[in-house]
Amino acid sequence: MKSVLHKATTRGHADHGWLNSHHTFSFAGYNDPERMHFGVLRVLNDDQVAPGRGFGTHPHDNMEIISIPLEGDLEHKDSMGNTTTIKEGDVQVMSAGTGIQHSEYNKNTDQEVKFLQIWVFPNKRNVEPRYDQISIRDIEKKNAFYQVLSPNPDDKGVWVHQDAWFHLGKFEAGATDTYQINKEGNGVYAFVLDGEVEINGQKLEKRDGFGLWETDSFDFKSNTDSRVLLMEVPMSLDKIGR
């Protein structure tokens, strides 16, 4: 097994007033050659958007973009004609493909929005743009990881153009679980949303990131009440669509 530890305090940081963002991997003005990506996981931004503010209309192409709200509501509009609101308990995905434009806006005047913005390189380029969102309320489990994203449109959660699987978990203190890698050659990047946990003996705290690869499975323990996101992705950039 190989691993990499990214403590929360080592992330890139940008405070634009209306947007307070922490970058696990190089993004915008934060550039660290040692932290460009984890396999095909390109961006993991931990964003806070001020009341009444947001991201104006901007373009994307050839990227799988996943948003996971942690607090508050975020209004989404895009060039495909979608106008929706995502909130804590939802997972949103966009396949940017040949190109889309979208905006994200906090319509609340008295509450911040906190959400994860995640980019994954696709295994197919120039696909038809696609949008989807789900509520995880019907699939979430207690004290166990549950799937919220996969490569299969017929599977649980949303799907992406990549051999990637995402799992969320909400655990009580003392709870344990074991994660099995879905596909050979994949690694897992764990991101602690709340609490303190251990993965194969490595202690992790809130907003720490821990990547593991060249393993078939790993053990998980929650030392306190916790929430954790697991992002399983191909480690080889040969898996990116050309």
Side-chain angles (χ1 to χ4, degrees):
M1 178 188 295
K2 293 183 179 179
S3 64
V4 62
L5 173 64
H6 296 143
K7 297 295 290 182
T9 54
T10 67
R11 296 177 296 169
H13 180 226
D15 189 345
H16 301 287
W18 67 273
L19 171 67
N20 187 12
S21 183
H22 288 83
H23 314 310
T24 295
F25 305 108
S26 293
F27 186 86
Y30 168 58
N31 184 33
D32 182 345
E34 298 299 316
R35 290 174 67 162
M36 296 303 297
H37 57 88
F38 178 81
V40 303
L41 176 61
R42 174 62 189 88
V43 167
L44 173 55
N45 287 350
D46 183 6
D47 289 344
Q48 299 179 43
V49 180
R53 303 296 298 274
F55 301 87
T57 302
H58 57 281
H60 293 284
D61 64 71
N62 289 312
M63 192 69 71
E64 301 295 299
I65 301 171
I66 301 101
S67 295
I68 302 178
L70 304 176
E71 293 181 23
D73 307 321
L74 194 67
E75 183 183 77
H76 163 96
K77 294 183 179 181
D78 63 44
S79 54
M80 294 177 281
N82 297 297
T83 299
T84 63
T85 300
I86 58 173
K87 57 188 181 299
E88 190 273 326
D90 293 340
V91 176
Q92 177 199 75
V93 65
M94 289 190 300
S95 297
T98 54
I100 60 169
Q101 295 196 26
H102 79 132
S103 63
E104 295 160 300
Y105 188 68
N106 180 3
K107 291 185 68 175
N108 296 319
T109 59
D110 59 351
Q111 183 182 8
E112 285 186 329
V113 169
K114 298 180 181 180
F115 76 107
L116 301 181
Q117 179 184 173
I118 303 165
W119 297 4
V120 173
F121 289 121
N123 57 17
K124 297 179 181 178
R125 288 182 61 83
N126 297 323
V127 300
E128 182 179 352
R130 179 181 61 92
Y131 176 90
D132 194 16
Q133 73 179 73
I134 62 162
S135 170
I136 61 175
R137 299 300 186 190
D138 294 334
I139 60 176
E140 64 182 352
K141 299 178 181 179
K142 191 174 183 179
N143 292 326
F145 288 109
Y146 57 93
Q147 181 179 294
V148 297
L149 176 147
S150 79
N152 186 350
D154 298 322
D155 211 346
K156 288 183 179 179
V158 295
W159 67 277
V160 291
H161 293 284
Q162 186 54 271
D163 291 325
W165 286 261
F166 285 14
H167 288 72
L168 283 166
K170 188 174 184 178
F171 297 89
E172 296 174 325
T176 61
D177 201 1
T178 299
Y179 184 84
Q180 301 285 337
I181 302 294
N182 287 277
K183 187 167 184 178
E184 185 177 358
N186 280 5
V188 174
Y189 195 87
F191 189 66
V192 182
L193 302 176
D194 290 298
E196 180 188 287
V197 306
E198 292 182 31
I199 293 180
N200 275 8
Q202 173 65 58
K203 287 188 177 181
L204 304 168
E205 298 174 309
K206 184 175 180 178
R207 296 317 203 251
D208 287 350
F210 188 54
L212 307 94
W213 66 104
E214 296 187 7
T215 184
D216 296 327
S217 65
F218 59 83
D219 295 325
F220 171 88
K221 179 183 178 182
S222 187
N223 293 335
T224 66
D225 290 352
S226 65
R227 288 191 300 163
V228 179
L229 171 64
L230 302 181
M231 294 163 280
E232 179 184 335
V233 295
M235 294 303 294
S236 173
L237 294 185
D238 291 339
K239 302 300 183 180
I240 299 176
R242 305 296 181 184

